[in-house]
Amino acid sequence: MTGFFFGASARQLFGYHHAARGRTRGGAVICPPIGREFMLAHGTLRHLARLLANAGQDVLRFDYAGTGDSAGDFETMTQPDWIADIETAISELKDLAQLERVSLIGVRYGATLAALAARGRRDVQCLVLWDPVLDGRAYLRELGIVDSQMAETIDAAGVLLRAELRDHIGAITPAVVRTGLPRMLFVLRADGDDPVASLPVAGGVPPAVIRVPGNPIWQDEMIGSAGMPLPELNLIVQHLS
Amino acid sequence: MPAYRERVVRFGMGEGLVGVLAMPSQPAAPAAPFVVLINSGLIHRVGPSRLHVLLARDLAAAGLGVLRFDLSGIGDSERQADAMPLQAAVERDIVAALDFLEAKHGAERFVLAGLCSGAYDAFRVAQDDSRVASAVLLDIPGPFGGWWHVIHHLRLRALNRQSWRQPLQKLRFYGRTLRHLVLGGKAPTMARYRPGVRLPVSRQSMGEAIDALIERDVRLFFLFTAGMPGNYNHRSQFRRAFPRSARHPALTHAFLPEADHLFSTHASRSRAIQMVRDWVLRVAARSLPLALLADAALLG
């Protein structure tokens, strides 16, 4: 397990490489959520990376620019910036592990970003979307942002959000996940809506949808209060193995 | 050229502790203290809303080396296999961070900083390790209560519209509970009552510890928010709890009523970072040639 900075010198991204145990069977880039959900999900995503590495995957966890340990300020970031960061992380993992293709695992808004980054890429083998943000306007409401807030930057949920980013998030609909990738897995809450069911089948193969019980970790009041969601993590490991 | 550089470091037993070290691009003065930021609860080294990242970069840009790291079992640091009690393990990890900075960077003096449990940990280590020259204690849980705390608590409740709704909410809850017991069905839920912050030390022992630190010429900055009203809800509390220490020039205390416990708003975060930076640079200046400090704020 190695922590390091990578990417352009003016835009250093923080990453953590979990080397595959034994022979490499593939690679995965983990795309975290943002804001409070980033904080709550950190330990779980670290554990997921370890499980995947034990199962023979080379894994790169990383922070988008302006989040976590990476360079930059959150309030200057846009959605295209973070999609570009995922592309940089894909290249980094391919170089590190000498892989032709990698998988993307995204959580919440990170899942949406992963779906957008995977569009048209042949080197993304599999896309795992864990509770993706499929309704941008509802997500903005969760962040406490309403349409009437027209300022250049918006202070919400502990972050200053650029209006451009707010607009991009607000435009997210279920259709953004139609990437045409043959191996897609959705991990969704059992009691949640099912917008995926309304999507046209892409590439002739319907996406796998697995419903998991209970509240997700990013709705915890405190870090670790709900414990590690091992069933969800094991499902993802099995799917990529 | 950026004003600071960051790199990932590993240290401690089996190099199991992970941190990010921010160093000023210009070499720091040999006598400059290093700042060490300690985890707040289970939040990893970036801190709540990146508070630790922003503070570390701010201080590094002003000329100080800053290490923010994860204690064992938190963030990216390994959980140690030993059966050491939690508090002892935390203090061992913090001392390991000081040892690492001393061995690899020649650091001799340190500023420990932390929020909530991190403040408490910093306070404990400052008492035991003579290398600690200063401590920044954000929302430290402590024995700051008293009749003035109760009065302000009642005043805040009276002014809070939400608190007037609670009797009605409670009646509804009891009604639903009765219906659940008689008719079955889904049990009602209600936000659990959260008692005030537990008091890790008595007022006497905390007062003695503060006196001992002042006697050792350790500088202390107590900064409180309104985010833990069970612990602190009025700016006079520290002065009333520790009247003699509060007047000592080695000790600074302040209250940020606009801030919550996790400094969730950008404005409160910026204000806290500015206050901490100015204070740290002032105490650092005691051992530094002023010309080596980049920020003119310390001259004010």
Side-chain angles (χ1 to χ4, degrees):
Chain A
M1 204 168 79
T2 312
F4 62 107
F5 287 95
F6 65 97
S9 58
R11 188 188 173 84
Q12 288 276 280
L13 301 176
F14 175 82
Y16 230 100
H17 177 220
H18 298 251
R21 194 172 185 178
R23 190 175 61 84
T24 301
R25 300 173 64 180
V29 173
I30 294 181
C31 306
I34 62 167
R36 177 178 160 78
E37 293 178 339
F38 165 84
M39 193 171 74
L40 291 167
H42 184 269
T44 295
L45 296 184
R46 176 197 186 215
H47 194 67
L48 173 62
R50 286 181 157 198
L51 292 175
L52 285 165
N54 287 340
Q57 299 278 331
D58 269 277
V59 183
L60 178 61
R61 287 189 287 130
F62 82 106
D63 299 335
Y64 314 110
T67 74
D69 289 305
S70 290
D73 296 319
F74 190 100
E75 58 267 32
T76 64
M77 296 301 151
T78 65
Q79 187 163 280
D81 288 335
W82 289 337
I83 292 169
D85 289 345
I86 294 174
E87 290 166 350
T88 304
I90 291 171
S91 300
E92 186 68 24
L93 181 59
K94 284 165 64 180
D95 283 350
L96 274 172
Q98 297 295 298
L99 294 166
E100 296 286 317
R101 305 171 78 192
V102 297
S103 296
L104 296 182
I105 302 168
V107 180
R108 297 290 288 140
Y109 181 54
T112 312
L113 291 171
L116 293 169
R119 266 183 179 161
R121 290 189 72 118
R122 294 182 179 276
D123 56 355
V124 175
Q125 185 174 9
C126 178
L127 188 58
V128 176
L129 307 179
W130 188 356
D131 247 358
V133 171
L134 297 171
D135 181 345
R137 293 168 73 88
Y139 181 61
L140 287 175
R141 283 194 296 276
E142 283 178 37
L143 293 176
I145 298 167
V146 294
D147 291 344
S148 58
Q149 286 182 279
M150 297 303 290
E152 283 296 304
T153 54
I154 302 146
D155 197 349
V159 295
L160 270 187
L161 201 69
R162 191 166 159 177
E164 187 180 343
L165 176 58
R166 185 271 316 269
D167 294 343
H168 276 131
I169 292 175
I172 293 169
T173 66
V176 300
V177 298
R178 282 185 295 176
T179 60
L181 288 171
R183 291 187 66 204
M184 276 203 291
L185 170 70
F186 289 87
V187 180
L188 296 172
R189 288 167 55 199
D191 57 347
D193 296 332
D194 192 0
V196 180
S198 63
L199 290 176
V201 173
V205 181
V209 178
I210 295 178
R211 298 194 157 273
V212 288
N215 284 327
I217 45 171
W218 37 87
Q219 287 187 351
D220 284 358
E221 191 180 344
M222 293 169 64
I223 294 175
S225 61
M228 197 65 74
L230 290 174
E232 290 93 321
L233 301 188
N234 288 328
L235 281 170
I236 294 171
V237 173
Q238 284 168 20
H239 189 77
L240 293 188
S241 299
Chain B
M1 189 171 72
Y4 60 86
R5 291 167 286 111
E6 289 181 307
R7 66 186 176 90
V8 181
V9 294
R10 300 192 73 121
F11 56 91
M13 196 187 302
E15 298 207 320
L17 299 175
V18 176
V20 174
L21 179 63
M23 293 292 289
S25 296
Q26 301 294 331
F34 269 69
V35 182
V36 177
L37 301 178
I38 302 167
N39 294 115
S40 171
L42 293 176
I43 300 173
H44 78 292
R45 63 185 174 277
V46 304
S49 302
R50 290 182 101 203
L51 178 70
H52 292 190
V53 174
L54 301 172
L55 179 58
R57 290 175 181 172
D58 202 86
L59 290 168
L64 298 176
V66 186
L67 174 67
R68 49 191 175 84
F69 76 104
D70 291 324
L71 298 164
S72 300
I74 298 176
D76 291 311
S77 289
E78 304 293 335
R79 189 183 302 277
Q80 297 294 334
D82 55 32
M84 190 177 274
L86 177 65
Q87 193 61 44
V90 165
E91 291 174 26
R92 173 200 60 196
D93 290 350
I94 296 170
V95 170
L98 308 191
D99 292 343
F100 164 75
L101 292 170
E102 184 175 12
K104 298 289 183 186
H105 296 274
E108 295 174 353
R109 293 159 59 81
F110 297 95
V111 180
L112 296 184
L115 165 68
C116 195
S117 66
Y120 182 65
D121 297 335
F123 187 64
R124 289 285 298 261
V125 173
Q127 294 167 52
D128 295 337
D129 197 310
S130 61
R131 294 172 295 181
V132 179
S134 327
V136 178
L137 310 170
L138 308 176
D139 259 354
I140 186 171
F144 307 113
W147 61 265
W148 56 89
H149 179 255
V150 174
I151 287 174
H152 286 292
H153 173 71
L154 293 173
R155 185 179 66 87
L156 291 170
R157 275 185 70 92
L159 294 174
N160 184 355
R161 192 184 301 171
Q162 194 65 31
S163 67
W164 290 97
R165 292 186 188 147
Q166 282 181 356
L168 188 60
Q169 285 177 355
K170 282 176 186 167
L171 278 176
R172 284 184 183 149
F173 172 72
Y174 295 138
R176 283 199 297 268
T177 303
L178 191 62
R179 190 171 60 192
H180 165 68
L181 291 173
V182 175
L183 303 174
K186 190 178 176 185
T189 56
M190 187 172 182
R192 273 183 304 160
Y193 170 67
R194 299 180 66 188
V197 180
R198 67 188 165 85
L199 306 180
V201 289
S202 68
R203 183 171 301 169
Q204 183 183 348
S205 61
M206 188 173 209
E208 288 170 357
I210 291 172
D211 289 344
L213 287 166
I214 290 174
E215 180 69 26
R216 219 181 75 207
D217 201 25
V218 175
R219 304 295 162 124
L220 299 170
F221 182 20
F222 289 83
L223 178 60
F224 297 96
T225 73
M228 283 207 305
N231 185 55
Y232 212 88
N233 65 11
H234 191 264
R235 66 177 68 253
S236 72
Q237 272 183 253
F238 190 89
R239 177 171 51 79
R240 290 178 188 275
F242 303 107
R244 192 162 45 83
S245 309
R247 289 196 303 272
H248 197 283
L251 190 147
T252 304
H253 63 96
F255 181 50
L256 268 182
E258 70 272 27
D260 63 26
H261 186 51
L262 298 181
F263 297 92
S264 295
T265 65
H266 185 265
S268 69
R269 214 156 45 238
S270 299
R271 178 77 183 121
I273 289 169
Q274 182 198 353
M275 291 173 78
V276 172
R277 180 195 57 208
D278 290 352
W279 186 86
V280 168
L281 291 176
R282 264 200 304 278
V283 298
R286 293 196 304 150
S287 57
L288 276 182
L290 292 184
L292 290 172
L293 283 167
D295 199 307
L298 76 150
L299 298 172

